[in-house]
Amino acid sequence: MFEQRNDVMEYADYISLHAYFDRISSPEILDEIYAKYDKQILYTEMSFAVFKGEKVLPGSWPRAEELIKILMETLQHNVAAYVDWNLILLETGGPSYLGSFIEAYILANEDFTVFYKQPLFYAMAHFAKFISPHSIRISSAVINPGKSQVITVAYLRPDNKVCVVLYNNGTNPVALTLADDLKGITKLQLKPKSLNTLIYSTRSG
């Protein structure tokens, strides 16, 4: 597109990407895109079990963990929104024009009388529920090297509340002290392999 029109970005509001190669690509690519074009980045297609040899894994927590890591990592690197490929598919996977057995957040039986909410559903719902539209990402970091198993991302929401998402990727509980220059500190205990959200007002009193 740039070879034909070097002003093409003047007519674009967003840059969209797919998430399928997040496993093998660096998130710094997202920072480079944002710095170069100054456009919001949208993930407009993600799904699991797309590649050959993969399959639907009903009730898979490891697959939910992979989604959590993708979300946490890409949100930290300027991704603003997500559109998943599939919300509901058959429990066997599909139907798919690719002829593969693709994962979904909700699985249904053949006559759509029974539905199963996957761990994927609850992982994505956690982010969608607490990080409200038009929130602004703010700086957050885990500064103790011994707590490297914890991943975090934080937002200032339109209701003037701070939303801090914390994921303990380890198999042991972690004690943390959350420090906010304006609000002070609070003690937290994160269970192993747990996704947590803390929401608090920025107003005093």
Side-chain angles (χ1 to χ4, degrees):
M1 293 172 68
F2 274 102
E3 289 178 0
Q4 298 181 35
R5 290 287 300 270
N6 58 16
D7 63 344
V8 67
M9 293 307 292
E10 294 179 16
Y11 304 95
D13 292 319
Y14 307 97
I15 293 175
S16 69
L17 300 173
H18 291 181
Y20 298 114
F21 293 97
D22 273 21
R23 298 171 183 168
I24 60 173
S25 59
S26 167
E28 277 72 28
I29 294 172
L30 299 169
D31 297 330
E32 294 170 9
I33 292 172
Y34 187 77
K36 184 173 182 178
Y37 300 111
D38 193 26
K39 299 288 183 181
Q40 295 271 31
I41 300 173
L42 309 182
Y43 264 39
T44 52
E45 188 175 306
M46 353 177 15
S47 190
F48 291 93
V50 172
F51 297 106
K52 187 176 180 180
E54 296 181 327
K55 61 181 181 179
V56 176
L57 298 175
S60 172
W61 174 247
R63 189 158 276 176
E65 285 188 293
E66 187 174 354
L67 174 64
I68 291 167
K69 292 172 186 176
I70 289 173
L71 291 170
M72 295 289 274
E73 184 178 71
T74 54
L75 288 172
Q76 291 168 343
H77 291 274
N78 298 302
V79 166
Y82 292 81
V83 179
D84 199 276
W85 197 4
N86 309 299
L87 180 61
I88 301 175
L89 290 176
L90 296 176
E91 56 190 326
T92 53
S96 166
Y97 76 95
L98 295 173
S100 55
F101 303 102
I102 296 175
E103 187 75 88
Y105 288 61
I106 300 172
L107 300 178
N109 65 353
E110 288 288 342
D111 58 2
F112 288 91
T113 58
V114 180
F115 297 86
Y116 308 93
K117 291 181 180 178
Q118 293 271 66
L120 285 169
F121 175 90
Y122 293 103
M124 178 62 86
H126 189 99
F127 289 86
K129 179 178 181 179
F130 298 118
I131 304 174
S132 52
H134 307 295
S135 295
I136 299 171
R137 185 168 59 87
I138 56 179
S139 176
S140 63
V142 179
I143 59 175
N144 186 333
K147 302 293 191 298
S148 59
Q149 68 197 65
V150 177
I151 311 169
T152 185
V153 66
Y155 285 84
L156 177 62
R157 305 194 323 181
D159 60 2
N160 288 316
K161 293 181 179 179
V162 172
C163 170
V164 182
V165 184
L166 296 153
Y167 174 57
N168 179 5
N169 189 39
T171 55
N172 296 310
V174 173
L176 285 180
T177 299
L178 177 67
D180 184 308
D181 290 342
L182 298 177
K183 298 289 289 186
I185 64 173
T186 189
K187 303 289 185 178
L188 302 173
Q189 185 81 15
L190 307 183
K191 293 181 179 181
K193 296 290 183 179
S194 65
L195 183 60
N196 311 265
T197 294
L198 183 68
I199 296 174
Y200 59 90
S201 175
T202 57
R203 298 185 180 93
S204 59

